Amino acid sequence: PQHVAPASINIDALLGKHFAVLGSTGTGKSCRVALLIRRIVERLPNAHIIMLDPHNEYETAFSDCAEHFDIKNLRLPYWMMNFEEHIEMFIGTYASKNRVVEIDILRRALYAARVDNAENLNPEQITVDTPIPYKLSYLTSFLEEEMGKLDNPETLTRFLRLRNKVNELRKDTRFSFMFSGMLVNDTLSAIMGNLLRFPVNNKPVSTIDLSGVPSEIVNVVVSVISRAVFDFAVWSLGQDARPILLVCEEAHRYVPTEMSTRFNSTKKAIERIAKEGRKYGVSMGLVS
């Protein structure tokens, strides 16, 4: 019989830092990660672990201790996006002088939409990044109203392009987990509580299946989730703080080494956790 050598890990030391599981395709990275997380959960049943899973490999492995999310039950409303993520979603990364103009138009429209739906908040306290729910219908109405003031066909085209993109996302059923009209009624606390497992309810792990997320927006989805995890940790710093582990399976898919403006927001969110996460109780496991 083969000799089996035990491998011991100091969980406190592991989760007090970041870690990576690296290897070529087919070497068993996912199996090792699943075993590692399973052992952590056995010893820390009230942990808060989020797994970004591009191939839906972990649902079965954690069926008894995880809440599974896919595009059918994931709630990630569009208003949670910051301005940079809005740009990637609504405008894209094409290089043109028109893009600068469209970004400015989107900035004004988004700010107006957030202010319109803010209650008991001074407009001076609101920015385009503030996670205040807003109505997409207000956004398109604002654009149409601004178009009515124009007489330059070239400028009008930029408004039309942006309005049409917003309407396209609203109608495309593939994006309904982000752009369903019902999601505007969600609250940030409910969304984060469900995603991060507060309360745990015997399911300390969240497995997020990204395989059904359209490829053109998976970078924004990862960015929103990663940034929300970090921001939550910052906001809750103090006596109510709880350590969180973010596991990024197939990290090279959405944080590539090559320079690409498409992944700017995602790389910023992941890098921020890598650089500052430990101060706020957020550790990260990269699998690549």
Side-chain angles (χ1 to χ4, degrees):
Q2 289 183 329
H3 175 68
V4 178
S8 300
I9 293 176
N10 184 320
I11 293 179
D12 288 339
L14 179 73
L15 300 182
K17 303 175 183 178
H18 305 307
F19 67 88
V21 178
L22 308 174
S24 303
T25 301
T27 53
K29 297 186 298 296
S30 298
C31 292
R32 284 164 172 77
V33 171
L35 180 60
L36 176 62
I37 300 302
R38 171 65 68 175
R39 294 294 181 263
I40 290 175
V41 168
E42 287 175 357
R43 288 158 180 76
L44 302 172
N46 292 315
H48 304 279
I49 301 172
I50 296 181
M51 306 193 70
L52 300 178
D53 184 4
H55 302 302
N56 195 25
E57 296 178 299
Y58 294 102
E59 178 182 8
T60 303
F62 301 107
S63 59
D64 61 326
C65 63
E67 189 73 27
H68 181 69
F69 298 92
D70 54 27
I71 58 173
K72 296 178 182 178
N73 68 338
L74 179 64
R75 291 185 299 159
L76 205 65
Y78 57 86
W79 52 262
M80 286 181 62
M81 295 188 295
N82 64 14
F83 185 53
E84 185 173 17
E85 291 154 356
H86 272 84
I87 293 173
E88 292 187 19
M89 184 72 76
F90 291 149
I91 297 177
T93 57
Y94 75 95
S96 168
K97 64 178 183 180
N98 290 340
R99 185 171 184 270
V100 177
V101 177
E102 289 183 23
I103 289 174
D104 182 62
I105 294 170
L106 177 59
R107 184 191 304 275
R108 291 189 287 118
L110 178 58
Y111 176 76
R114 291 202 194 277
V115 169
D116 178 71
N117 210 47
E119 296 181 0
N120 303 320
L121 279 179
N122 187 329
E124 295 182 357
Q125 298 175 310
I126 301 171
T127 72
V128 287
D129 292 321
T130 308
I132 295 175
Y134 70 88
K135 299 176 182 177
L136 285 173
S137 57
Y138 184 94
L139 200 67
T140 54
S141 297
F142 179 91
L143 294 172
E144 290 168 357
E145 183 177 337
E146 290 295 302
M147 282 190 290
K149 303 175 184 178
L150 301 173
D151 53 9
N152 186 333
E154 183 180 349
T155 306
L156 187 65
T157 301
R158 297 162 187 168
F159 281 87
L160 285 171
R161 174 186 166 91
L162 187 54
R163 187 199 64 178
N164 292 342
K165 182 61 177 180
V166 174
N167 288 332
E168 175 187 321
L169 291 170
R170 292 174 66 183
K171 295 176 182 178
D172 195 327
T173 56
R174 297 179 302 156
F175 306 131
S176 58
F177 70 97
M178 290 190 78
F179 290 94
S180 169
M182 295 298 291
L183 297 179
V184 76
N185 296 317
D186 283 334
T187 63
L188 189 60
S189 59
I191 293 167
M192 295 305 297
N194 191 34
L195 195 63
L196 299 180
R197 311 308 308 141
F198 290 97
V200 172
N201 288 334
N202 298 318
K203 292 184 177 182
V205 180
S206 295
T207 55
I208 303 178
D209 174 17
L210 300 174
S211 63
V213 176
S215 59
E216 59 263 44
I217 68 166
V218 68
N219 56 311
V220 174
V221 170
V222 172
S223 177
V224 171
I225 294 173
S226 303
R227 184 175 50 78
V229 167
F230 182 84
D231 287 346
F232 178 87
V234 173
W235 295 334
S236 61
L237 187 63
Q239 62 180 10
D240 295 325
R242 297 291 185 274
I244 300 170
L245 170 62
L246 176 66
V247 180
C248 301
E249 172 73 38
E250 295 280 314
H252 51 273
R253 290 189 57 189
Y254 39 85
V255 195
T257 54
E258 66 269 13
M259 296 297 293
S260 171
T261 54
R262 179 190 169 195
F263 296 95
N264 273 349
S265 63
T266 315
K267 294 182 76 169
K268 284 182 181 179
I270 297 293
E271 286 178 356
R272 195 178 181 197
I273 293 176
K275 293 176 180 178
E276 305 177 52
R278 291 187 299 166
K279 293 187 294 185
Y280 302 103
V282 181
S283 54
M284 180 168 55
L286 292 178
V287 185
S288 182

